[in-house]
Amino acid sequence: NKVKNIYRIFDSSILLSEAIIKTSIPNLDIITSNIDLVAAEIELVDQPEREYILKKALNIIKKRYDFIIIDCAPSLGLITLNALASSDSIIIPIQCEYFALEGLGKLLNTIKSVLFSKTARLAAKFTDVVVFPTPPFWLAIAKTLPIFIINI
């Protein structure tokens, strides 16, 4: 009996709709993850159209929802690439510190690569990339820079 989580969508053992968990909060459903998802990065390397696995899975259920939020780890691997290829917009919470800003630059370069890649099937047509500082730092700068919107 396999646990139904996001990894099982990437290894094609279940449909995304089978992994959806209804919560006690009205209109809020979730799909869980676990440590197995780390293996997906390695397992997807040789798979054809690996960038579109999540997009294809979401296309089946997306009309059920007004919003689908994909929470990614701060990495630039195949899972993040799947999330980018599946998204219309991006929200990036960030701490106001040097290394976070350096990582943001790399992430934005990745987003640009996705948008302007020669294999433009990575169909992400982002309306906006919204970067906002996380507490407690955002309180200090909210008067001058409450939200950063980067149109790519």
Side-chain angles (χ1 to χ4, degrees), residues 30-86:
I30 63 169
I31 297 177
T32 61
S33 182
N34 68 14
I35 195 68
D36 292 342
L37 191 58
V38 173
E41 292 282 342
I42 298 164
E43 294 168 3
L44 292 175
V45 169
D46 296 328
Q47 195 165 349
E49 298 199 336
R50 61 186 174 263
E51 300 89 356
Y52 312 105
I53 294 169
L54 185 58
K55 182 181 179 89
K56 289 176 184 176
L58 286 170
N59 280 340
I60 297 168
I61 60 102
K62 71 180 181 182
K63 290 185 179 179
R64 297 185 204 171
Y65 300 96
D66 293 327
F67 298 97
I68 297 174
I69 299 172
I70 305 168
D71 183 17
C72 295
S75 72
L76 301 175
L78 284 172
I79 301 301
T80 303
L81 191 56
N82 265 267
L84 290 173
S86 304

Side-chain angles (χ1 to χ4, degrees), residues 134-152:
T134 58
F137 303 104
W138 73 272
L139 292 173
I141 64 167
K143 292 178 185 170
T144 58
L145 300 170
I147 297 177
F148 306 85
I149 300 178
I150 303 165
N151 290 314
I152 297 179

Side-chain angles (χ1 to χ4, degrees), residues 124-138:
K125 290 197 280 184
F126 302 118
T127 53
D128 291 303
V129 176
V130 179
V131 180
F132 66 93
T134 58
F137 303 104
W138 73 272

